[in-house]
Amino acid sequence: MDKKIIFVSGGILSGLGKGITSASIASLLKHANNKVNMLKIDPYINVDPGTMSPTEHGEVFVTYDGGETDLDLGNYERFLDINLPRKSNFTTGSIYQSVINKERRGDYLGQTIQVIPHIVDEIKSRILNACDDDSILIVELGGTIGDIEGMPFLEAIRGIKQELGEHQTMSIHVTLIPFIKSAKEFKTKPTQHSIAELRKTGIYPDMLICRSEYKIPDSIKDKLSKSCGINKEAIIEASDAPTIYQVPLSFLEQNILHPISKKLQITNSNSNMDKWYSLVDKIISPKKNIKIAFVGKYMSLKEAYKSLTEAIVHCGAHLDTKIDIEFIDSDEKIDINQLKQCSGILVAGGFGLRGMDGKIEAIKYARENNIPFLGICLGMQLAIIEFARNVLGVKEANSTEFEKDSKEDFIYLIDKFINSQGEHQIRTHTSPMGGTMRLGEYICDLKKDSLIYKAYNNASTIKERHRHRYEVNPKYREALEDKGLIVSGLSNGLIDAIELNNHKWFVGVQFHPEFTSHLEKPNEIIYEFIKMSGKS
Ligand code: GLN
């Protein structure tokens, strides 16, 4: 098969769900027995999103090979049940970085380095590199048509469309059809403008995905077809859905693969979504209901914990249970009455001192009241600190993240760390922020018959993804174990999982299990936590 690429762009405004759209189309293609691959290209200047605040940009998604990437990669993995490498996301910053590195090395032999051709060629070659001959590549362009920094990306897309054959590329534009309540009318004008803007760059869209609050009438589709020059069968509606996992099903009902397979000459166009239908059915109308306390500090933007909240949805779908999440801001004084209404307590990861006391209080409550508890990354580190302070009686116990010169540094900076590539990383309090964390997948050896061992179906080793700088200090291991804390997971000698035995279910993990949870295959430890929380 020739290379096949679908480009997805967005118009009018951000937040229309281009990522979900791209993932949904990819999922349908995959479930029709096609090999698919995904690429997110981001015009912003950061080299990667690793240094961006989760409250501004949402979660930083970590790939198995340690890439800190855009959260849309998480959507792709969740919808496609695949693991993508870090090269599945790149930004303007990383493009410039490699072009400038080449220039410094003298690779350009005296040329003047310019946006066209050098920057655009670098973008083109990264896109083409991500595209195997036997699979369909879906490329989502970040930002909105009209953004200044998006121009080189659009030029790269135009160039690739020109170079490859007519049936090798396709362009899909995601747009908004607003409904003006007072006039009771859908409006197509913003879309017409957005298409005109896209066409100015030399890209003619083959399909329109119309986001809208309500179902779009046929007459509006006719109008869009005429004014935008797109076949009516390729005008697909994406009205608000009760769950994002409904989107591929709604596309399937509109026969979206018909125009796609016609344009790209794909023969496999019958998606088998039976299992998906039944999971979505359980998300929309579940039999059971439980409430989980989610204690974190980035509560103003739910996207900051995207993978974790989605992982909870996946577990709910498999347990036929609606999981109400009670978001508890650890920055505020913890309201114990709020915790009392919940059958499980989850303390999420995070950085910095803010909200620490609230999290420790919630952990103490879970430990003392036999409430199922899962602590993730910082959540596990704080579970150790809580245990040290309140069970071991070491009131000064702390993490050097919060108290640099702590005498009781239960959580500390390991100064000589060897990463998964075998490279030495020196970590100090003055190391740069970018690229100095334990990132990506590491093997964790599980203690036989522990809670975590059972959760992972009696696996003696697992692989999960990390994103943190600090570690549990092994010099306290014996003291912790003497008082009943169990070290149930070790990663190359580092403490990776802990649990308590005189408790209904209390587990802490240093890794981020949420990054490997997919709708069709929820993450094991989160699943077990939800299951135990639902058990009376
Ligand atoms: N701040 C902690 C660390 O860097 C935990 C990070 C996290 O929860 N992702 O080790």
Side-chain angles (χ1 to χ4, degrees):
M1 192 171 91
D2 293 335
K3 284 186 194 307
K4 309 259 181 213
I5 310 181
I6 298 176
F7 293 103
V8 181
S9 59
I12 307 174
L13 41 90
S14 59
L16 287 182
K18 259 183 306 165
I20 301 297
T21 300
S22 307
S24 298
I25 293 169
S27 168
L28 290 173
L29 286 166
K30 186 193 162 190
H31 285 91
N33 278 330
N34 296 289
K35 243 182 95 186
V36 288
N37 204 353
M38 309 286 302
L39 179 66
K40 173 80 194 282
I41 56 179
D42 279 311
Y44 54 74
I45 317 288
N46 303 58
V47 172
D48 63 40
T51 51
M52 288 189 195
S53 160
T55 41
E56 184 174 324
H57 193 73
E59 167 187 274
V60 175
F61 186 76
V62 179
T63 56
Y64 68 87
D65 57 352
E68 295 183 282
T69 65
D70 189 80
L71 56 75
D72 269 321
L73 261 71
N75 284 323
Y76 307 158
E77 295 202 353
R78 291 188 277 275
F79 274 71
L80 294 169
D81 193 19
I82 53 169
N83 297 317
L84 294 164
R86 67 197 309 162
K87 68 168 193 189
S88 304
N89 180 210
F90 66 80
T91 67
T92 292
S94 74
I95 292 287
Y96 271 79
Q97 196 176 48
S98 45
V99 169
I100 290 170
N101 285 344
K102 283 188 205 159
E103 184 272 334
R104 293 286 85 186
R105 276 204 310 265
D107 292 5
Y108 293 115
L109 304 173
Q111 289 172 36
T112 307
I113 312 305
Q114 295 180 294
V115 173
I116 299 175
H118 302 96
I119 296 295
V120 169
D121 281 353
E122 180 70 24
I123 299 173
K124 274 161 72 178
S125 88
R126 294 229 201 153
I127 295 174
L128 292 170
N129 252 332
C131 183
D132 302 326
D133 275 349
D134 61 343
S135 63
I136 303 161
L137 175 69
I138 290 134
V139 181
E140 180 192 346
L141 171 65
T144 309
I145 298 305
D147 295 345
I148 293 179
E149 59 266 46
M151 296 313 273
F153 288 75
L154 289 166
E155 175 55 20
I157 294 172
R158 191 203 59 73
I160 291 176
K161 290 191 84 160
Q162 183 188 346
E163 282 161 33
L164 298 184
E166 160 74 13
H167 296 294
Q168 287 183 268
T169 66
M170 171 166 190
S171 167
I172 299 181
H173 193 60
V174 183
T175 182
L176 175 73
I177 309 293
F179 181 73
I180 307 298
K181 287 206 177 85
S182 54
K184 292 199 174 51
E185 259 186 282
F186 287 91
K187 292 291 180 190
T188 62
K189 192 65 85 194
T191 299
Q192 295 181 40
H193 282 298
S194 182
I195 297 285
E197 195 67 30
L198 186 57
R199 285 201 175 138
K200 268 196 235 163
T201 68
I203 298 170
Y204 295 84
D206 307 294
M207 175 176 277
L208 209 54
I209 307 278
C210 305
R211 291 281 292 116
S212 129
E213 239 177 301
Y214 305 102
K215 231 180 129 35
I216 301 167
D218 221 42
S219 56
I220 294 292
K221 288 190 186 169
D222 279 327
K223 192 168 171 187
L224 284 166
S225 170
K226 288 197 186 95
S227 57
C228 302
I230 295 172
N231 286 342
K232 196 172 161 198
E233 62 166 8
I235 298 191
I236 305 290
E237 150 182 332
S239 43
D240 290 352
T243 158
I244 51 172
Y245 301 105
Q246 168 96 56
V247 176
L249 303 178
S250 134
F251 286 175
L252 183 68
E253 279 151 24
Q254 297 175 68
N255 218 354
I256 194 172
L257 287 198
H258 182 65
I260 293 179
S261 51
K262 206 157 82 184
K263 173 77 169 85
L264 292 178
Q265 296 186 328
I266 298 167
T267 40
N268 297 346
S269 59
N270 280 330
S271 314
N272 179 354
M273 299 296 276
D274 293 353
K275 183 177 170 202
W276 196 282
Y277 264 109
S278 96
L279 289 169
V280 168
D281 198 42
K282 288 183 188 132
I283 296 175
I284 298 173
S285 36
K287 288 211 180 67
K288 291 163 273 179
N289 197 331
I290 61 167
K291 197 186 250 186
I292 297 289
F294 186 125
V295 188
K297 78 165 178 181
Y298 307 114
M299 291 309 173
S300 54
L301 181 71
K302 300 284 169 340
E303 295 277 287
Y305 294 111
K306 187 81 190 143
S307 292
L308 193 44
T309 49
E310 288 306 318
I312 293 171
V313 173
H314 305 158
C315 296
H318 287 260
L319 291 162
D320 206 353
T321 304
K322 175 167 181 352
I323 299 152
D324 288 318
I325 303 180
E326 182 83 6
F327 286 102
I328 299 183
D329 191 340
S330 53
D331 242 359
E332 321 254 308
K333 170 120 192 61
I334 297 284
D335 175 2
I336 297 293
N337 283 327
Q338 225 181 339
L339 289 180
K340 273 190 186 147
Q341 291 159 20
C342 300
S343 45
I345 297 178
L346 175 66
V347 175
F351 293 82
L353 179 64
R354 211 161 48 77
M356 176 186 178
D357 293 341
K359 286 183 184 170
I360 290 194
E361 211 180 315
I363 295 168
K364 182 167 185 270
Y365 181 82
R367 185 177 56 77
E368 290 179 341
N369 293 281
N370 218 17
I371 316 285
F373 165 82
L374 179 63
I376 294 180
C377 205
L378 183 63
M380 168 181 128
Q381 297 174 353
L382 295 179
I384 299 253
I385 293 174
E386 190 279 322
F387 194 84
R389 287 183 186 174
N390 299 323
V391 181
L392 268 62
V394 184
K395 293 289 170 225
E396 309 280 85
N398 217 333
S399 162
T400 56
E401 179 177 7
F402 313 129
E403 192 192 344
K404 221 170 95 211
D405 304 310
S406 170
K407 297 270 175 297
E408 300 290 359
D409 54 345
F410 277 73
I411 309 298
Y412 79 138
L413 260 187
I414 158 171
D415 49 6
K416 287 191 192 66
F417 178 75
I418 299 176
N419 71 14
S420 53
Q421 280 85 46
E423 299 158 348
H424 265 283
Q425 274 183 13
I426 302 291
R427 293 187 201 161
T428 68
H429 287 285
T430 50
S431 303
M433 294 301 259
T436 55
M437 280 195 271
R438 181 173 169 202
L439 281 170
E441 190 175 71
Y442 283 85
I443 286 181
C444 172
D445 300 309
L446 302 181
K447 187 179 164 76
K448 199 163 184 283
D449 295 332
S450 59
L451 296 174
I452 189 167
Y453 175 87
K454 286 184 208 144
Y456 282 89
N457 306 312
N458 301 342
S460 50
T461 60
I462 55 166
K463 279 186 198 162
E464 289 286 6
R465 302 181 196 174
H466 291 249
R467 183 170 187 258
H468 55 100
R469 254 181 215 101
Y470 297 83
E471 305 281 350
V472 180
N473 193 338
K475 79 174 182 202
Y476 294 103
R477 181 173 171 182
E478 225 178 283
L480 290 163
E481 284 181 328
D482 279 351
K483 289 282 183 199
L485 186 132
I486 298 164
V487 172
S488 50
L490 282 174
S491 173
N492 205 5
L494 297 169
I495 295 174
D496 234 18
I498 53 143
E499 57 193 59
L500 296 179
N501 60 2
N502 54 351
H503 193 280
K504 185 172 170 191
W505 200 88
F506 188 104
V507 172
V509 288
Q510 184 60 81
F511 50 78
H512 286 272
E514 67 270 28
F515 291 139
T516 54
S517 189
H518 304 156
L519 176 66
E520 291 162 291
K521 197 176 156 296
N523 174 274
E524 290 86 345
I525 198 74
I526 302 175
Y527 178 86
E528 193 70 9
F529 163 65
I530 302 286
K531 198 174 102 189
M532 290 309 292
S533 301
K535 235 182 187 166
S536 41

